[in-house]
Structures are given as C-alpha cells and as structure tokens.
C-alpha cells in the first residue's frame, strides 16, 4: 500500500473538492486538523446534497491514506452551531500545487477554500483586525529570522533619531523570550515596575489596566532631544518569576465576548499603550524566527515590517518558506506584501559593490518568485499589478542598508561620547540612509 504524505494528501483532497462533476452551487471546502487529516465541508444540509456527489467525496477516503478520517464529509446538520465552522474567520482561498505538468513544464494550481487548524502559526494568516487601523500612529516592526543582525541596535538608533526630530516615540519589546530592549535603553534604576508579561498574566484575571501606568519608562537616550523615548519593557524591575509568567502568556483567555486569542490580546495591549502614551510613532521589537509573536507583529500590527537579513543561505531559505506560506493564500498575500521592506544588515565596509549586487539579486529573486504578481510573456502589465523591476528603488525587495561599523560593535547607546560612546557622526554613517528610508515610508514622502 502506497504511503500518502502530508503534501500529497492536500493535493489529492483539493482535486477531489474541485471535481467538475460535483454540484457547483455548493462549493466544497477542506478542513485540515492539527494532525493534517482532511475532511470535506459542504455548507448545505445533508438531505439537500445529491447522494451520488456525497458518495463520490467519501470514495476518496482511501486515496488520503493516514490523512483520511472516519467522518469524511461534513454538512451543516452535523453541528449544533454550523456557522462556527462554515463562517469561521480562518477560511482562506488557498492555492495547492498539482503534480501534473502543463506543456510548458509548469505545475498547475488548484484553488480551494481551506480551514487549516494549527497548534501554532495561525496568526501568519490573520491580518489587521484593529478598528483603529486608520487612526493609530505608524507602527514599525523590526523582525529577523535569526538574532545577531543588529536589529535591536537599529531600533534604538532610529528611536534616537526620531527623538532628535522632536517625535514622541513608544518602543515595545515583544521579544519576550529574549528580553533585552530595556537593558539597551534603560539604566537599571529606570526599568519600570512591570513588564509586558505582567500585563498578560494580570489581564487574564481582569487586572491588566492596573499595571499599564507602571509598564513604561523614559529612556535617557532622549535626554538632550526635543522629543521623548518611552520604553515598554518585556520584563519589569526586580523580576523573580519571569519564566512562570512567560509560560502563561500565550494562553487563550475567556471573556464576556468569547475566548480571546493571544493575537487579540497583543493588539489590545498595543492599543492601550498608544492611548495612554499618545506617541507620534511606535517601534516594535519582534521575536526572531517563525513564532506567533512575529506573526501578529507583521500580519496584524505593522504599518511597515522591516525584514532584517544578511546574504546567508539561512536567511533566504527561511524567508522563502514564510513567503511561500503567504503565496498560497492570495487574499492574505495582497494585504501583507505592500507593508514589507527588506533590510540588508551589517553591510560590510569592503567589496561593497559586489556584495550589494549579490544581495540585491537574492532579494529580487525571492520577492519576484513569491510575492510579486506573475505576468505572462507577451501580456501587457496591468496598471494595478504588484510587480517591480530589480532596480526600482520603491520596490519592497530594494534593500535598506545598515552599515557595519567597528565603532558600534558592543555598542552601548547610553554611553556618553566622552566615555567612549558613539557620536552623531558615527551613527549617521552607519544608519543615515536607513533612517531616511524609514522616515520617508511612514510619512509618505
């Protein structure tokens, strides 16, 4: 007996669900559970669906192997509340690659509605849900697949530049597993009493509001500026139970309006901090890697999401996997792709032209393959097509560069220049072009 693998099962089910012999007035969706097992879902009463069509779907059970179920076809009357399934917000039109090749050698795509039940990762497909989407301040998310690329330093330096320009800046440290933004921007005596983990555990028992005022502190980095830098740290001062709190952060929480997921709670605390602090701009330090915190930050919060990378195979492979995840969900892809910007981190001091060209080619190939609209040869480019030439400086793939600087290694932004800290000249040489791109992006200039 042939073993059916995870990817094969989805393709087989998608082919069955889109079979032309099925009644077109009742499109068949796919429900995939946390183990990868698949069911067909038809939004109609069982008695109203033709019996031959039901038998046709049920006959595909054997083709799905271990990814089949005992209850292969779901109808409305299988549920006391059918809309809990059929009207679920996580249904997405999904493109599934068929193994069959066309004459041109390209695989065809099958478009099917998919409700994908996942233990984690669901939030990569959940876009902005805030009612204040048009009124909240710009939110810049700093994200990287791996640490060690200078993401937090770049965030701190952008905050410094914005404060010098007279802006009130709110920094939010959502890198909960590796909290460090407060150590970079706040002396020990200025760390607030509570951190974001405190808000999550207190909010779970209805006391989130009670810690908000003691969740944010002024950074002395802005002391000589006309603006302000306010830091919402992951961890409060004198913390002794951080791991115990962290273990409870991601839990769903019951509420009078229904269960609140972590994504909803993360959005609520951002909005609460914005309401309290009234910032001109919000900078969010996201957790590295393919984690739900990063998913909410990029897909649900960001005005602009900065994707930090170096020209390494690990970065390109990781971003390709993430982009491919969006690529197969077109409506999600269209919402997210315009807010992305790639950042070439640690841009070297030597061989710059060749290194810049190699990075540019890798970045363009990634975006063109996964995120840009595909235009068939010989066809004109539609006016609203999301596609760019490689040298288009307005394109998401065109890198914003942060230069590597020996002066900024083991950098302490709170260290005074006379004590060995970096001065404005050092900062502008390393970050000046990056500052310009970010400020232009959020100001529309």
């Amino acid at each position: 007996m042939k073993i059916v693998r995870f990817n094969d099962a989805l393709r087989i089910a998608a082919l069955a669900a889109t079979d032309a012999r099925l009644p077109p007035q009742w499109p068949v969706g796919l429900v995939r559970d946390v183990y990868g097992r698949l069911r067909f879902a038809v939004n109609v009463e069982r008695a109203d669906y033709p019996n031959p069509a039901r038998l046709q779907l049920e006959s595909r059970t054997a083709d799905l192997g271990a990814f089949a179920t005992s209850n292969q076809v779901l109808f409305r009357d299988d549920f006391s509340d059918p809309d809990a399934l059929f009207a679920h917000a996580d249904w997405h039109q999904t493109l599934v690659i068929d193994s069959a090749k066309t004459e041109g050698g390209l695989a065809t795509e099958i478009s099917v509605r998919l409700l994908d039940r996942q233990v984690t990762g669901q939030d990569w497909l959940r876009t902005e849900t805030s009612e204040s989407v048009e009124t909240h301040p710009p939110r810049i998310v700093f994200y990287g697949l791996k640490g060690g690329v200078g993401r937090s330093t770049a965030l701190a330096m952008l905050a410094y530049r914005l404060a010098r320009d007279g802006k009130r800046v709110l920094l939010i440290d959502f890198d909960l597993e590796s909290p460090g933004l407060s150590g970079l921007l706040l002396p020990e005596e200025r760390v607030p009493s509570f951190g974001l983990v405190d808000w999550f555990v207190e909010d779970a028992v209805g006391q989130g509001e009670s810690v908000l005022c003691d969740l944010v502190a002024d950074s002395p980095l802005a002391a000589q500026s006309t603006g302000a830098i306010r830091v919402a740290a992951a961890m409060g001062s004198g913390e002794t139970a951080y791991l115990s709190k962290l273990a409870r952060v991601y839990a769903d929480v019951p509420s009078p309006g229904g269960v609140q997921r972590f994504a909803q709670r993360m959005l609520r605390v951002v909005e609460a901090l914005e309401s309290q602090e009234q910032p001109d701009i919000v900078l969010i330090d996201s957790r590295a890697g393919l984690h739900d915190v990063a998913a909410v930050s990029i897909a649900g919060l960001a005005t602009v999401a900065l994707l930090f990378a170096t020209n390494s195979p690990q970065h390109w492979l990781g971003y390709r996997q993430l982009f491919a995840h969006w690529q197969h969900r077109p409506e999600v892809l269209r919402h997210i792709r315009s807010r992305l910007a790639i950042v070439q981190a640690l841009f070297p001091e030597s061989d710059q032209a060749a290194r810049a060209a190699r990075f540019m080619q890798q970045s363009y190939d990634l975006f063109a393959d996964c995120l840009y609209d595909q235009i068939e040869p010989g066809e004109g480019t539609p006016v609203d097509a999301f596609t760019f030439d490689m040298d288009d400086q307005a394109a998401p793939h065109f890198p914003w560069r942060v230069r590597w600087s020996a002066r900024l290694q083991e950098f302490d932004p709170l260290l005074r220049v006379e004590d060995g800290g970096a001065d404005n000249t050092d900062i502008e040489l390393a970050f000046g072009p990056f500052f310009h791109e970010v400020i232009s992006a959020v100001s529309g200039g």
Side-chain angles (χ1 to χ4, degrees):
M1 179 179 176
K2 181 182 177 181
I3 294 178
V4 178
R5 301 298 183 190
F6 184 88
N7 289 353
D8 293 329
L10 182 59
R11 176 181 56 81
I12 292 166
L15 285 168
T18 56
D19 193 305
R21 294 170 293 177
L22 297 173
Q25 65 269 39
W26 295 300
V28 178
L30 301 178
V31 179
R32 183 162 60 177
D33 70 15
V34 295
Y35 304 106
R37 296 176 303 203
L38 289 144
R39 291 179 173 86
F40 303 106
V42 191
N43 192 11
V44 68
E45 299 290 327
R46 183 181 297 269
D48 294 330
Y49 196 69
N51 200 51
R54 178 182 60 80
L55 293 174
Q56 179 183 331
L57 290 172
E58 289 176 345
S59 70
R60 303 306 297 267
T61 301
D63 298 337
L64 294 171
F67 292 99
T69 68
S70 57
N71 186 18
Q72 195 61 57
V73 187
L74 304 173
F75 295 95
R76 289 189 65 84
D77 44 330
D78 291 325
F79 304 92
S80 59
D81 180 12
D83 285 340
L85 177 76
F86 291 102
H88 199 286
D90 286 334
W91 282 99
H92 292 290
Q93 200 69 32
T94 302
L95 301 179
V96 180
I97 303 299
D98 189 358
S99 60
K101 302 289 184 178
T102 64
E103 289 184 3
L106 298 175
T108 57
E109 294 177 331
I110 310 161
S111 180
V112 65
R113 295 285 287 174
L114 174 66
L115 178 59
D116 211 0
R117 307 288 201 179
Q118 301 173 143
V119 177
T120 63
Q122 199 77 52
D123 289 308
W124 286 111
L125 302 177
R126 290 173 175 152
T127 52
E128 175 70 76
T129 57
S130 172
E131 294 181 358
S132 62
V133 62
E134 300 298 331
T135 59
H136 67 64
R139 299 169 181 159
I140 311 301
V141 170
F142 285 67
Y143 171 72
L145 283 165
K146 298 170 68 66
V149 293
R151 186 186 77 238
S152 295
T153 300
L155 186 152
M157 290 297 89
L158 178 61
Y160 173 65
R161 168 59 185 275
L162 291 167
R164 282 174 51 201
D165 291 345
K167 303 297 184 184
R168 182 174 175 85
V169 187
L170 173 62
L171 273 57
I172 303 178
D173 187 2
F174 274 130
D175 194 357
L176 304 181
E177 273 73 13
S178 301
L181 199 58
S182 61
L184 191 64
L185 293 170
L186 296 173
E188 185 175 351
E189 66 275 10
R190 289 209 187 185
V191 175
S193 302
F194 298 109
L196 286 163
V197 292
D198 293 290
W199 184 90
F200 281 107
V201 296
E202 297 295 335
D203 177 69
V205 294
Q207 300 182 151
E209 292 291 324
S210 67
V211 301
L212 273 179
C213 291
D214 295 317
L215 192 64
V216 188
D218 278 307
S219 171
L221 187 60
Q224 303 303 314
S225 73
T226 56
I229 298 175
R230 299 279 287 166
V231 182
M235 180 191 303
S237 62
E239 181 61 79
T240 59
Y242 191 77
L243 291 181
S244 296
K245 294 174 183 175
L246 184 62
R248 292 164 170 80
V249 161
Y250 304 110
D252 291 342
V253 173
S255 74
V259 172
Q260 284 220 329
R261 297 176 290 103
F262 173 70
Q264 295 169 296
R265 301 176 69 214
M266 193 168 161
L267 179 60
R268 276 204 300 113
V269 71
V270 170
E271 291 179 333
L273 288 170
E274 288 172 345
S275 177
Q276 173 180 284
E277 298 296 322
Q278 295 294 301
D280 297 305
I281 191 166
V282 180
L283 307 184
I284 296 173
D285 194 17
S286 171
R287 182 183 174 182
L290 300 175
H291 189 273
D292 281 3
V293 169
V296 179
S297 298
I298 294 173
L301 294 176
T303 304
V304 177
L306 305 180
L307 310 181
F308 279 67
T310 60
N311 195 24
S312 67
Q314 298 94 326
H315 277 116
W316 299 125
L317 178 61
Y319 279 124
R320 188 167 289 271
Q321 290 300 314
L322 174 57
F323 285 12
H325 190 59
W326 288 326
Q327 183 182 20
H328 296 306
R329 283 83 175 177
E331 74 273 23
V332 177
L333 175 67
R334 285 190 291 269
H335 183 90
I336 290 175
R337 63 187 178 180
S338 62
R339 69 176 69 174
L340 305 178
I342 196 83
V343 177
Q344 184 174 7
L346 308 179
F347 186 58
E349 294 180 320
S350 62
D351 196 21
Q352 289 189 341
R355 291 173 185 264
R358 287 195 293 269
F359 189 97
M360 175 79 81
Q361 187 66 60
Q362 292 277 16
S363 181
Y364 176 74
D365 290 345
L366 170 67
F367 278 77
D369 290 347
C370 300
L371 298 191
Y372 293 165
D373 291 333
Q374 302 299 308
I375 309 299
E376 294 294 331
E379 292 185 3
T381 303
V383 175
D384 60 348
F386 193 81
T387 187
F388 302 86
D389 294 330
M390 186 165 72
D391 295 326
D392 189 339
Q393 296 186 28
H397 74 266
F398 198 93
W400 301 354
R401 295 191 174 98
V402 174
R403 302 177 189 276
W404 183 88
S405 170
R407 288 279 292 142
L408 298 178
Q409 297 307 295
E410 299 183 359
F411 174 58
D412 180 355
L414 301 182
L415 193 63
R416 298 183 305 171
V417 174
E418 53 268 31
D419 294 328
D423 61 19
N424 288 337
T425 301
D426 297 323
I427 294 169
E428 287 297 323
L429 283 173
F431 295 99
F434 170 73
F435 294 157
H436 173 76
E437 295 292 353
V438 176
I439 293 169
S440 294
V442 299
S443 64

